[in-house]
């Protein structure tokens, strides 16, 4: 239940339930201790609800910047991912968005957004991520969510017709595979090679 958050974004309840502050410190310490030249640190975002909007703050991106500065001497890059979008409310199964003969109108469950709605929703997150990437030597932003949109719609299927969602917050292995080339091309442009 804990993500790589700055302490200002960790509620007392979350800290009490899962020792979130200690978890974040332990993760940062482990990465610093164990990472080696050639490693890449990926920071992903929650893929449900509007969690990306909660992270669209300077505090969140400053937290990532602190980690990046500790890794700079090791030449270890950090890749910030955006989140795939949208996923219906966490109380509903992604299967409700699959069109069936008995369920012909999946958007009743808010299964699709227009690409303009998605861009608008991520506007502040994108601005902060791009700004941090541009001002840092070892932070890169990889906005992959639009790679899961088909024409003008971001929904539940990839361009190849693969279901995107495995569960309430994780994409399927096949849809992840479809993003691999896009990620590889993006990172090659920024001189990060696998």
């Amino acid at each position: 239940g804990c993500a790589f958050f700055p302490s200002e974004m960790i509620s007392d309840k979350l800290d009490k339930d899962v020792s979130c502050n200690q978890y974040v410190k332990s993760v940062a310490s482990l990465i610093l201790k164990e990472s080696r030249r050639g490693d890449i640190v990926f920071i992903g975002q929650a893929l449900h609800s509007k969690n990306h909007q909660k992270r669209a703050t300077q505090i969140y991106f400053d937290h990532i910047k602190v980690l990046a500065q500790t890794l700079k001497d090791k030449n270890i890059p950090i890749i910030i991912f955006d989140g795939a979008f949208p996923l219906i409310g966490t109380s509903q199964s992604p299967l409700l968005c699959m069109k069936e003969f008995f369920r012909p109108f999946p958007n009743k469950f808010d299964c699709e957004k227009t690409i303009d709605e998605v861009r608008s929703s991520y506007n502040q997150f994108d601005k902060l991520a791009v700004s941090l990437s541009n001002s840092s030597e070892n932070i890169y932003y990889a906005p992959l969510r639009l790679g899961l949109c088909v024409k003008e719609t971001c929904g539940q299927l990839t361009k190849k017709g693969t279901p995107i969602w495995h569960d309430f917050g994780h994409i399927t292995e096949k849809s992840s595979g479809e993003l691999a080339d896009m990620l590889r091309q993006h990172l090659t442009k920024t001189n990060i090679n696998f």
Side-chain angles (χ1 to χ4, degrees), residues 143-150 158-159 178-179 182:
L144 298 178
R145 70 185 175 276
L146 297 181
L148 292 171
C149 297
V150 180
T158 68
K159 292 174 184 174
E178 288 184 36
L179 289 176
M182 185 177 174

PDB file of all heavy atoms in Angstrom, residues 143-150 158-159 178-179 182:
ATOM      1  N   PRO A 143       6.567   9.125 -21.269  1.00  0.00           N
ATOM      2  CA  PRO A 143       5.103   9.138 -21.271  1.00  0.00           C
ATOM      3  C   PRO A 143       4.551   8.074 -22.231  1.00  0.00           C
ATOM      4  O   PRO A 143       4.421   8.315 -23.420  1.00  0.00           O
ATOM      5  CB  PRO A 143       4.758  10.557 -21.730  1.00  0.00           C
ATOM      6  CG  PRO A 143       5.932  10.969 -22.557  1.00  0.00           C
ATOM      7  CD  PRO A 143       7.128  10.251 -22.009  1.00  0.00           C
ATOM      8  N   LEU A 144       4.248   6.915 -21.690  1.00  0.00           N
ATOM      9  CA  LEU A 144       3.828   5.789 -22.522  1.00  0.00           C
ATOM     10  C   LEU A 144       2.320   5.624 -22.635  1.00  0.00           C
ATOM     11  O   LEU A 144       1.854   4.846 -23.463  1.00  0.00           O
ATOM     12  CB  LEU A 144       4.420   4.489 -21.955  1.00  0.00           C
ATOM     13  CG  LEU A 144       5.940   4.415 -21.938  1.00  0.00           C
ATOM     14  CD1 LEU A 144       6.381   3.109 -21.321  1.00  0.00           C
ATOM     15  CD2 LEU A 144       6.493   4.559 -23.341  1.00  0.00           C
ATOM     16  N   ARG A 145       1.553   6.339 -21.837  1.00  0.00           N
ATOM     17  CA  ARG A 145       0.108   6.063 -21.799  1.00  0.00           C
ATOM     18  C   ARG A 145      -0.559   6.216 -23.159  1.00  0.00           C
ATOM     19  O   ARG A 145      -1.456   5.476 -23.493  1.00  0.00           O
ATOM     20  CB  ARG A 145      -0.584   6.930 -20.763  1.00  0.00           C
ATOM     21  CG  ARG A 145      -0.635   8.393 -21.147  1.00  0.00           C
ATOM     22  CD  ARG A 145      -1.223   9.271 -20.077  1.00  0.00           C
ATOM     23  NE  ARG A 145      -1.112  10.647 -20.486  1.00  0.00           N
ATOM     24  CZ  ARG A 145      -0.037  11.391 -20.316  1.00  0.00           C
ATOM     25  NH1 ARG A 145       1.025  10.906 -19.720  1.00  0.00           N
ATOM     26  NH2 ARG A 145      -0.004  12.635 -20.742  1.00  0.00           N
ATOM     27  N   LEU A 146      -0.095   7.173 -23.951  1.00  0.00           N
ATOM     28  CA  LEU A 146      -0.755   7.389 -25.234  1.00  0.00           C
ATOM     29  C   LEU A 146      -0.455   6.261 -26.211  1.00  0.00           C
ATOM     30  O   LEU A 146      -1.139   6.099 -27.213  1.00  0.00           O
ATOM     31  CB  LEU A 146      -0.376   8.749 -25.811  1.00  0.00           C
ATOM     32  CG  LEU A 146      -0.828   9.940 -24.947  1.00  0.00           C
ATOM     33  CD1 LEU A 146      -0.435  11.251 -25.591  1.00  0.00           C
ATOM     34  CD2 LEU A 146      -2.315   9.898 -24.661  1.00  0.00           C
ATOM     35  N   GLY A 147       0.570   5.457 -25.917  1.00  0.00           N
ATOM     36  CA  GLY A 147       0.838   4.266 -26.715  1.00  0.00           C
ATOM     37  C   GLY A 147      -0.240   3.207 -26.542  1.00  0.00           C
ATOM     38  O   GLY A 147      -0.318   2.253 -27.312  1.00  0.00           O
ATOM     39  N   LEU A 148      -1.070   3.382 -25.529  1.00  0.00           N
ATOM     40  CA  LEU A 148      -2.174   2.454 -25.297  1.00  0.00           C
ATOM     41  C   LEU A 148      -3.500   3.037 -25.783  1.00  0.00           C
ATOM     42  O   LEU A 148      -4.553   2.452 -25.545  1.00  0.00           O
ATOM     43  CB  LEU A 148      -2.264   2.102 -23.805  1.00  0.00           C
ATOM     44  CG  LEU A 148      -1.096   1.277 -23.280  1.00  0.00           C
ATOM     45  CD1 LEU A 148      -1.166   1.158 -21.768  1.00  0.00           C
ATOM     46  CD2 LEU A 148      -1.072  -0.094 -23.923  1.00  0.00           C
ATOM     47  N   CYS A 149      -3.446   4.162 -26.448  1.00  0.00           N
ATOM     48  CA  CYS A 149      -4.660   4.759 -27.001  1.00  0.00           C
ATOM     49  C   CYS A 149      -4.794   4.362 -28.472  1.00  0.00           C
ATOM     50  O   CYS A 149      -3.800   4.192 -29.170  1.00  0.00           O
ATOM     51  CB  CYS A 149      -4.609   6.278 -26.876  1.00  0.00           C
ATOM     52  SG  CYS A 149      -4.559   6.853 -25.162  1.00  0.00           S
ATOM     53  N   VAL A 150      -6.021   4.222 -28.920  1.00  0.00           N
ATOM     54  CA  VAL A 150      -6.305   3.869 -30.309  1.00  0.00           C
ATOM     55  C   VAL A 150      -7.014   5.048 -30.947  1.00  0.00           C
ATOM     56  O   VAL A 150      -8.103   5.431 -30.521  1.00  0.00           O
ATOM     57  CB  VAL A 150      -7.189   2.606 -30.397  1.00  0.00           C
ATOM     58  CG1 VAL A 150      -7.471   2.253 -31.836  1.00  0.00           C
ATOM     59  CG2 VAL A 150      -6.524   1.442 -29.667  1.00  0.00           C
ATOM     60  N   THR A 158      -5.619  -2.325 -26.628  1.00  0.00           N
ATOM     61  CA  THR A 158      -4.490  -1.744 -27.342  1.00  0.00           C
ATOM     62  C   THR A 158      -4.822  -1.646 -28.830  1.00  0.00           C
ATOM     63  O   THR A 158      -5.873  -2.103 -29.280  1.00  0.00           O
ATOM     64  CB  THR A 158      -3.228  -2.616 -27.194  1.00  0.00           C
ATOM     65  OG1 THR A 158      -3.438  -3.840 -27.898  1.00  0.00           O
ATOM     66  CG2 THR A 158      -2.900  -2.882 -25.741  1.00  0.00           C
ATOM     67  N   LYS A 159      -3.889  -1.083 -29.590  1.00  0.00           N
ATOM     68  CA  LYS A 159      -4.073  -0.979 -31.039  1.00  0.00           C
ATOM     69  C   LYS A 159      -4.231  -2.342 -31.691  1.00  0.00           C
ATOM     70  O   LYS A 159      -4.871  -2.482 -32.726  1.00  0.00           O
ATOM     71  CB  LYS A 159      -2.879  -0.242 -31.660  1.00  0.00           C
ATOM     72  CG  LYS A 159      -2.831   1.214 -31.272  1.00  0.00           C
ATOM     73  CD  LYS A 159      -1.584   1.906 -31.769  1.00  0.00           C
ATOM     74  CE  LYS A 159      -1.591   3.337 -31.250  1.00  0.00           C
ATOM     75  NZ  LYS A 159      -0.369   4.049 -31.553  1.00  0.00           N
ATOM     76  N   GLU A 178       3.578  -4.753 -25.891  1.00  0.00           N
ATOM     77  CA  GLU A 178       3.338  -3.834 -27.005  1.00  0.00           C
ATOM     78  C   GLU A 178       3.989  -2.476 -26.763  1.00  0.00           C
ATOM     79  O   GLU A 178       4.301  -1.757 -27.697  1.00  0.00           O
ATOM     80  CB  GLU A 178       1.835  -3.675 -27.248  1.00  0.00           C
ATOM     81  CG  GLU A 178       1.218  -4.920 -27.866  1.00  0.00           C
ATOM     82  CD  GLU A 178      -0.249  -4.760 -28.195  1.00  0.00           C
ATOM     83  OE1 GLU A 178      -0.655  -3.651 -28.610  1.00  0.00           O
ATOM     84  OE2 GLU A 178      -0.991  -5.742 -28.042  1.00  0.00           O
ATOM     85  N   LEU A 179       4.194  -2.128 -25.493  1.00  0.00           N
ATOM     86  CA  LEU A 179       4.838  -0.854 -25.178  1.00  0.00           C
ATOM     87  C   LEU A 179       6.365  -0.946 -25.199  1.00  0.00           C
ATOM     88  O   LEU A 179       7.047   0.068 -25.192  1.00  0.00           O
ATOM     89  CB  LEU A 179       4.399  -0.376 -23.789  1.00  0.00           C
ATOM     90  CG  LEU A 179       2.970   0.104 -23.666  1.00  0.00           C
ATOM     91  CD1 LEU A 179       2.656   0.459 -22.226  1.00  0.00           C
ATOM     92  CD2 LEU A 179       2.712   1.302 -24.569  1.00  0.00           C
ATOM     93  N   MET A 182       8.109   0.930 -28.035  1.00  0.00           N
ATOM     94  CA  MET A 182       7.937   2.370 -27.852  1.00  0.00           C
ATOM     95  C   MET A 182       8.894   2.883 -26.773  1.00  0.00           C
ATOM     96  O   MET A 182       9.551   3.914 -26.946  1.00  0.00           O
ATOM     97  CB  MET A 182       6.492   2.660 -27.464  1.00  0.00           C
ATOM     98  CG  MET A 182       6.156   4.116 -27.373  1.00  0.00           C
ATOM     99  SD  MET A 182       4.405   4.311 -26.992  1.00  0.00           S
ATOM    100  CE  MET A 182       4.335   6.065 -26.758  1.00  0.00           C
TER     101      MET A 182
END
